[in-house]
Amino acid sequence: MTAVPRPAGDGRWRVTVTVRVKGRSFARLLLPLAMTFMGRRARGAFSTALDDAAKQWNDQIPELVRKDMEQLPLELVESLFATDEQRTSPSLGT
């Protein structure tokens, strides 16, 4: 699978996703027919996944950019050794 982002004219991004299927199974011959019927659902699923990834990016990256560059490696090491309870605690990282 390949995802290629390109800027759209309105300040948003347009992402073109290409999926290549390989194999020798007879089912491979039925894939174009199945995609005719299921293509819209697959595009919707990819679109939702990419929108969710973009939302997480937009939520997390600005905060990371504002942090002190010397502090980031320390926070990374802390997060590697944190317990699940510490990771879900709202006081972590403040």
Side-chain angles (χ1 to χ4, degrees):
M1 178 172 73
T2 306
V4 179
R6 290 187 180 89
D10 60 357
R12 296 172 29 158
W13 288 83
R14 181 171 307 278
V15 179
T16 303
V17 177
T18 305
V19 178
R20 180 175 290 173
V21 179
K22 295 181 181 182
R24 295 182 183 212
S25 170
F26 73 92
R28 181 178 56 105
L29 301 174
L30 300 175
L31 191 59
L33 180 63
M35 287 306 294
T36 300
F37 297 107
M38 300 296 289
R40 182 174 292 178
R41 183 176 287 170
R43 281 191 295 275
F46 281 127
S47 177
T48 300
L50 289 172
D51 286 345
D52 290 347
K55 183 180 181 324
Q56 288 180 3
W57 174 275
N58 290 336
D59 290 345
Q60 295 173 5
I61 294 301
E63 181 181 334
L64 290 174
V65 171
R66 286 191 298 267
K67 290 187 178 187
D68 180 22
M69 294 307 274
E70 293 177 8
Q71 186 67 23
L72 284 176
L74 296 174
E75 288 185 23
L76 175 63
V77 170
E78 277 183 11
S79 70
L80 290 173
F81 294 104
T83 64
D84 288 337
E85 184 177 309
Q86 291 171 326
R87 285 188 189 104
T88 58
S89 173
S91 64
L92 183 66
T94 58

